[in-house]
Amino acid sequence: QVRLVESGGGLVQAGGSLRLACDASGPSFSIWTWAWFRQAPGKERVFVAAIGGNGEHTSYADSVKGRFTISRDIAKRMVYLQMNNLSAEDTADYFCARSRYTTVTSMRINEFAYWGQGTQVLVSS
């Protein structure tokens, strides 16, 4: 059974940092692609960052490149999202997700089958 639990959200001032964590249970942690998505109030859920395979391959949305870093600890079965230089535009619920298959062809939502409940990030300007 796959279960994802996010933590680390909260209120932060613009320019500040937060580190989100995703505690992932389920089989074969290292063969999947893991991702973070976010959903701002009244908007669709969008891709933020992903890490796949052995952890060497990462992908980021243009809006977070250079500010956010995704990583994972295979031994602890954890996925992290380090977020720096946050702005009000980063305010959203952040969701951890696991890919549906071991090969991911895009970062569309339907490529990911398992989701956490989300953690809220509020950035005050």
Side-chain angles (χ1 to χ4, degrees):
Q1 182 178 359
V2 180
R3 184 167 178 258
L4 309 179
V5 180
E6 301 96 335
S7 61
L11 175 64
V12 63
Q13 289 187 335
S17 298
L18 281 176
R19 187 194 195 204
L20 305 183
C22 174
D23 189 346
S25 64
S28 306
F29 178 87
S30 63
I31 68 173
W32 308 104
T33 293
W34 299 89
W36 288 93
F37 286 74
R38 68 186 181 186
Q39 187 167 15
K43 295 188 177 180
E44 295 183 347
R45 191 171 299 187
V46 297
F47 168 74
V48 174
I51 186 167
N54 58 10
E56 292 182 353
H57 300 287
T58 58
S59 178
Y60 295 92
D62 288 342
S63 59
V64 307
K65 281 181 181 177
R67 300 187 300 122
F68 290 12
T69 303
I70 188 170
S71 63
R72 67 188 199 177
D73 186 325
I74 294 176
K76 295 182 178 179
R77 305 175 75 86
M78 296 290 292
V79 184
Y80 303 100
L81 185 68
Q82 178 66 43
M83 306 186 296
N84 298 327
N85 193 21
L86 287 161
S87 70
E89 288 69 33
D90 297 312
T91 292
D93 291 328
Y94 284 72
F95 298 88
C96 178
R98 199 211 80 179
S99 61
R100 186 181 304 277
Y101 305 112
T102 56
T103 299
V104 176
T105 58
S106 76
M107 297 303 159
R108 291 192 300 265
I109 288 177
N110 61 7
E111 293 274 354
F112 295 86
Y114 299 93
W115 297 83
Q117 83 289 348
T119 186
Q120 188 177 54
V121 172
L122 293 172
V123 184
S124 62
S125 56

